């Protein structure tokens, strides 16, 4: 079993913090534990609590605060007025495909000369491509709206100009020193952009452009809000912080998905076999991978076709097509992960000494190497890069980091070996001459070994607060659930309880999961707990332990209409 680090989130210990927690307890009529959870999430008084528990769409920021929004809107209006052909261009991942579906799906009601385009992951790669611009030229387009890409496509935007095509860029990635010479560059991360919320997705930036369009034309915003489920799927799948505007968009997007889902998402959910209410987590693990699989295995246009479909039978057929892509993706994923883990175990240096993992096989599927890197980290917790052959003489690499380690800096230190690279602290991609992979492996591991602190090589579980089992009841769970949607910067609360024992021997489920009946020895309260992939704890030390501690989340189990609370275990300590 892999040892894990339990790291407590900041606790309210100074006078101001304890006073705030006491005030929240009294004003809201909640327990100290729940008030502490709110304090940890930046809620300090009744009004902030009201805004947190009841987010409102009128709290969204004015889109005209975004730099270049006026220029973007002016150019869009001109294109519509002059009946120009507009191409909606989006990346091939979930953010890009949902952004295309949202912007194209909305604007087609107001403009008939509109097309959409997603680049081929393997033939064109990420971002704006020359092939995409040439295709737009062939269609007679004079304006491209780029979603979730374009902020670094300086040469491609210049090329488009020579073809008589102008760009509006809607991106959320970090800009370089130079901005592309587009008609308008909408990106809240621009240094000169005063927009107050910086964590929008590419879909979110497109949503703000459409918000401005609605306000200018006096179109009821309720028409645009029908697309909030697509905005939410992008927020969930792009792993952006679910705070501020993202939390508002995600809150109402989930509400739409669960109460009145668009035809395409209803079909995708049904084909996936998901029943019940969806959360951000279930979107991430159910809808997101299926939408992504189209771009990973075949072409992202299959995902856009599905998302735009309004006929249920057609949507179900598209959903099955995407399901097949996802099944193929999982087959590649499982096989390559097994091969990668075997390579680590069979290499004495990699297994016993290395502080990083760098692997290469020319026949691995390029579409899943990022997933495989994440899978490897689950078994060998360290920065990981997986390479596969991309074109003659070159390999493409996908890298993933461990919490707290800056992967981008590590890769940048090896930039002289690489053909090109890009990314951020947690994930990155790169291209390298195949003959230099061994050189990269050595340099990368040297940098990691010299800079990573030992504790970062131990998986971390962030713990919100210690509680006893007698605090857990339906009221506690109901209030805690209203703190969602949960995701980055507002994670589902994680609790720790000490002095636990077993009421009976654990049951083994499907040979790898455990079902336990836990007893809090200090209060006598018992509760059911599930430990997924935790059977390594079964014989030793669990059965031999007199008492132990557990870290867990609280979930609701709905079995044949009867709802009960249970714990989902994350780790045990003895």
């Amino acid at each position: 079993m892999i040892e894990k680090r339990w790291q407590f989130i900041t606790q309210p210990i100074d006078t101001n913090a304890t006073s705030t927690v006491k005030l929240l307890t009294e004003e809201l009529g909640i327990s100290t534990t729940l008030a502490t959870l709110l304090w940890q999430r930046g809620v300090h008084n009744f009004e902030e609590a009201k805004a947190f528990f009841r987010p409102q769409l009128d709290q969204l920021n004015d889109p005209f605060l975004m730099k270049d929004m006026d220029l973007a809107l002016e150019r869009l209006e001109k294109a519509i007025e002059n009946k120009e052909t507009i191409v909606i261009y989006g990346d091939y991942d979930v953010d890009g495909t949902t952004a295309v579906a949202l912007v194209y799906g909305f604007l087609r009601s107001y403009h008939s000369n509109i097309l959409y385009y997603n680049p081929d992951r393997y033939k064109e790669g990420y971002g704006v491509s020359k092939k995409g611009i040439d295709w737009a030229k062939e269609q007679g387009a004079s304006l491209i709206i780029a979603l979730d890409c374009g902020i670094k496509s300086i040469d491609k935007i210049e090329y488009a100009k020579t073809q008589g095509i102008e760009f509006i860029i809607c991106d959320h990635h970090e800009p370089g020193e130079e901005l592309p010479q587009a008609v308008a560059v909408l990106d809240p991360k621009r240094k000169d952009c005063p927009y107050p919320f910086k964590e929008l997705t590419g879909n979110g930036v497109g949503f703000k452009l459409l918000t401005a369009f609605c306000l200018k034309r006096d179109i009821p915003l309720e028409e645009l809000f029908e697309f909030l489920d697509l905005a939410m799927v992008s927020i969930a799948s792009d792993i952006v912080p679910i705070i501020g505007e993202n939390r508002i968009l995600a809150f109402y997007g989930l509400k739409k998905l669960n109460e009145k889902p668009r035809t395409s998402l209803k079909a995708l959910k049904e084909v996936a076999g998901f029943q019940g209410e969806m959360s951000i987590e279930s979107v991430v693990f159910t809808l997101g991978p299926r939408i992504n699989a189209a771009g990973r295995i075949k072409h992202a246009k299959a995902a856009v076709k599905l998302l735009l479909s309004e006929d249920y039978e057609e949507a179900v057929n598209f959903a099955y097509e995407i399901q097949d892509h996802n099944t193929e993706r999982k087959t590649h994923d499982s096989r390559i992960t097994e091969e990668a883990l075997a390579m680590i175990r069979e290499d004495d240096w990699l297994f016993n000494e290395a502080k990083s993992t760098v692997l290469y096989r020319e026949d691995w599927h390029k579409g899943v190497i990022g997933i495989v890197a994440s899978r490897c980290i689950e078994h060998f917790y360290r920065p990981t890069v997986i390479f596969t052959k991309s074109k003659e003489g070159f390999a493409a690499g996908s890298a993933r980091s461990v919490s707290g380690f800056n992967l981008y800096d590590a890769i940048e230190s090896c930039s002289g070996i690489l053909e090109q690279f890009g990314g951020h602290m947690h994930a990155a991609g790169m291209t390298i001459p195949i003959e230099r992979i061994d050189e990269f492996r050595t340099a990368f591991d040297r940098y990691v070994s010299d800079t990573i602190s030992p504790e970062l090589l131990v998986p971390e579980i962030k713990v919100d607060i210690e509680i006893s089992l007698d605090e857990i009841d339906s009221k506690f769970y109901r209030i805690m659930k209203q703190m969602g949607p949960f995701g980055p910067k507002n994670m589902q609360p994680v609790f720790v309880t000490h002095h636990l024992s077993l009421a009976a021997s654990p049951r083994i489920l499907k040979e790898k999961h455990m079902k336990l009946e836990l007893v809090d020895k200090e209060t006598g309260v018992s509760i059911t707990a599930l430990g997924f992939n935790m059977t390594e704890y079964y014989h030793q030390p669990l059965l031999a332990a007199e008492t132990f501690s557990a870290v867990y989340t609280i979930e609701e189990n709905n079995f044949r209409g009867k709802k009960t609370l249970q714990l989902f275990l994350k780790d045990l300590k003895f």
Side-chain angles (χ1 to χ4, degrees):
M1 67 186 73
I2 299 176
E3 180 190 355
K4 297 181 177 70
R5 238 176 344 121
W6 295 4
Q7 184 70 42
F8 273 89
I9 292 170
T10 306
Q11 302 297 306
I13 52 177
D14 62 52
T15 305
N16 286 340
T18 54
S19 297
T20 300
V21 169
K22 186 171 183 292
L23 180 70
L24 288 169
T25 301
E26 293 168 353
E27 289 191 336
L28 302 176
I30 59 176
S31 68
T32 301
T33 296
L34 290 167
T36 300
L37 293 175
L38 288 174
W39 176 84
Q40 289 171 331
R41 284 152 179 77
V43 176
H44 298 125
N45 56 52
F46 179 84
E47 288 303 316
E48 289 178 356
K50 182 181 175 184
F52 184 76
F53 282 120
R54 301 286 182 269
Q56 300 296 318
L57 287 165
D58 61 11
Q59 295 168 343
L60 294 172
N61 294 313
D62 179 352
F64 290 99
L65 294 173
M66 195 174 292
K67 180 76 173 176
D68 281 4
M69 184 61 79
D70 53 341
L71 298 175
L73 190 58
E74 182 182 333
R75 183 64 185 89
L76 176 58
E77 293 264 65
K78 178 186 170 187
I80 293 173
E81 184 181 334
N82 294 337
K83 296 183 171 53
E84 298 176 47
T85 297
I86 303 172
V87 170
I88 309 302
Y89 188 114
D91 191 24
Y92 42 67
D93 67 0
V94 180
D95 190 14
T97 52
T98 57
V100 168
L102 187 152
V103 175
Y104 174 88
F106 183 82
L107 284 180
R108 66 181 171 180
S109 298
Y110 298 93
H111 187 57
S112 57
N113 297 336
I114 187 166
L115 305 165
Y116 66 85
Y117 186 90
N118 297 88
D120 185 290
R121 177 188 281 265
Y122 305 111
K123 294 177 181 176
E124 297 168 75
Y126 168 75
V128 177
S129 71
K130 181 178 181 294
K131 183 180 178 183
I133 294 168
D134 290 341
W135 180 87
K137 173 74 172 176
E138 289 167 12
Q139 310 310 311
S142 50
L143 176 64
I144 294 176
I145 299 177
L147 300 160
D148 190 36
C149 59
I151 196 66
K152 289 190 174 179
S153 301
I154 294 167
D155 57 334
K156 302 298 190 301
I157 307 301
E158 283 299 318
Y159 171 72
K161 277 185 179 179
T162 68
Q163 303 302 302
I165 298 173
E166 294 184 310
F167 265 82
I168 294 171
I169 291 171
C170 299
D171 206 346
H172 69 127
H173 296 99
E174 290 286 350
E177 288 300 313
E178 182 185 352
L179 293 176
Q181 294 300 303
V183 173
V185 178
L186 304 180
D187 187 337
K189 292 191 175 78
R190 282 179 60 167
K191 289 177 182 176
D192 60 348
C193 181
Y195 196 76
F197 186 68
K198 304 295 183 183
E199 301 295 342
L200 291 170
T201 60
N203 181 309
V205 178
F207 179 85
K208 300 308 290 192
L209 172 61
L210 294 183
T211 305
F213 180 77
C214 289
L215 293 174
K216 180 76 182 298
R217 290 195 160 208
D218 291 324
I219 299 168
L221 284 172
E222 285 71 24
E223 289 187 23
L224 178 58
F225 294 161
E226 286 297 307
F227 292 81
L228 281 173
D229 47 1
L230 292 177
M232 177 276 301
V233 172
S234 83
I235 289 166
S237 301
D238 225 45
I239 322 294
V240 292
I242 303 188
I243 55 175
E245 282 195 295
N246 283 345
R247 187 163 184 274
I248 298 169
L249 295 171
F251 179 91
Y252 285 96
L254 271 177
K255 185 177 172 66
K256 175 164 172 43
L257 178 65
N258 287 315
E259 294 177 4
K260 191 185 172 185
R262 72 180 45 249
T263 304
S264 56
L265 295 183
K266 181 181 179 183
L268 195 56
K269 182 180 171 184
E270 182 177 306
V271 169
F274 189 92
Q275 296 180 334
E277 189 175 278
M278 297 205 91
S279 64
I280 290 293
E281 184 179 33
S282 52
V283 170
V284 169
F285 290 106
T286 304
L287 302 185
R290 285 166 171 79
I291 296 169
N292 239 337
R296 289 184 186 280
I297 303 301
K298 296 293 183 184
H299 199 288
K301 64 185 177 187
V304 178
K305 280 182 184 175
L306 166 64
L307 294 171
L308 289 169
S309 180
E310 295 176 351
D311 176 88
Y312 188 69
E313 188 175 336
E314 178 188 63
V316 168
N317 290 334
F318 282 143
Y320 273 114
E321 182 184 335
I322 280 187
Q323 179 87 334
D324 290 343
H325 295 333
N326 192 52
T327 301
E328 185 178 347
R329 187 271 304 167
K330 287 197 284 189
T331 301
H332 289 305
D333 169 2
S334 299
R335 175 183 62 81
I336 295 170
T337 298
E338 288 175 11
E339 291 173 354
L341 293 174
M343 287 173 72
I344 297 170
R345 293 184 179 113
E346 291 165 8
D347 186 307
D348 184 63
W349 177 77
L350 266 179
F351 188 73
N352 293 307
E353 297 178 43
K355 295 293 189 290
S356 65
T357 298
V358 177
L359 301 174
Y360 167 72
R361 279 272 292 267
E362 70 170 28
D363 61 340
W364 284 344
H365 196 290
K366 185 180 173 185
V368 301
I369 55 175
I371 299 171
V372 172
S374 297
R375 295 274 189 268
C376 288
I377 288 173
E378 291 173 8
H379 296 267
F380 296 90
Y381 194 75
R382 57 202 190 190
T384 298
V385 187
I386 305 294
F387 285 108
T388 189
K389 187 175 180 179
S390 59
K391 56 185 178 181
E392 196 58 43
F394 288 90
S398 192
R400 298 293 182 269
S401 191
V402 296
S403 179
F405 181 75
N406 195 319
L407 180 69
Y408 186 86
D409 287 350
I411 291 170
E412 189 175 42
S413 74
C414 307
S415 59
I417 303 170
L418 300 170
E419 183 75 10
Q420 60 184 38
F421 71 98
H424 49 76
M425 179 172 177
H426 306 292
M430 67 208 78
T431 305
I432 187 173
I434 291 172
E435 72 270 11
R436 302 195 73 178
I437 290 176
D438 286 341
E439 183 185 352
F440 174 84
R441 180 184 290 114
T442 302
F444 184 73
D445 193 74
R446 186 186 304 119
Y447 181 92
V448 174
S449 299
D450 289 347
T451 58
I452 199 166
S453 55
E455 68 268 15
L456 294 186
L457 293 169
V458 180
E460 177 187 73
I461 298 176
K462 286 189 166 68
V463 181
D464 288 79
I465 193 168
E466 177 186 343
I467 64 172
S468 56
L469 295 187
D470 63 349
E471 294 185 59
I472 302 171
D473 58 21
S474 57
K475 179 185 176 184
F476 181 94
Y477 177 76
R478 187 177 70 253
I479 295 171
M480 184 197 75
K481 189 179 179 184
Q482 290 178 52
M483 295 180 186
F486 297 118
K489 299 288 180 75
N490 182 37
M491 296 300 288
Q492 183 171 2
V494 175
F495 304 99
V496 62
T497 301
H498 302 296
H499 310 296
L500 295 170
S501 64
L502 294 173
S505 293
R507 286 174 54 201
I508 303 299
L509 308 175
K510 297 183 178 179
E511 299 182 353
K512 56 183 179 179
H513 312 308
M514 284 195 306
K515 186 174 184 179
L516 309 88
E517 196 68 26
L518 302 182
V519 178
D520 186 336
K521 295 197 80 170
E522 296 199 339
T523 64
V525 173
S526 65
I527 194 168
T528 300
L530 295 174
F532 293 99
N533 299 303
M534 290 180 71
T535 50
E536 72 263 30
Y537 290 96
Y538 180 69
H539 293 293
Q540 293 288 342
L542 184 58
L543 294 179
E546 185 176 333
T547 62
F548 53 90
S549 303
V551 165
Y552 55 86
T553 58
I554 304 169
E555 309 289 345
E556 187 175 63
N557 180 40
N558 190 344
F559 184 67
R560 293 177 180 171
K562 184 182 179 183
K563 295 180 179 180
T564 55
L565 297 179
Q566 59 188 12
L567 312 184
F568 277 14
L569 298 175
K570 297 177 80 70
D571 196 27
L572 301 173
K573 283 196 175 177
F574 305 89

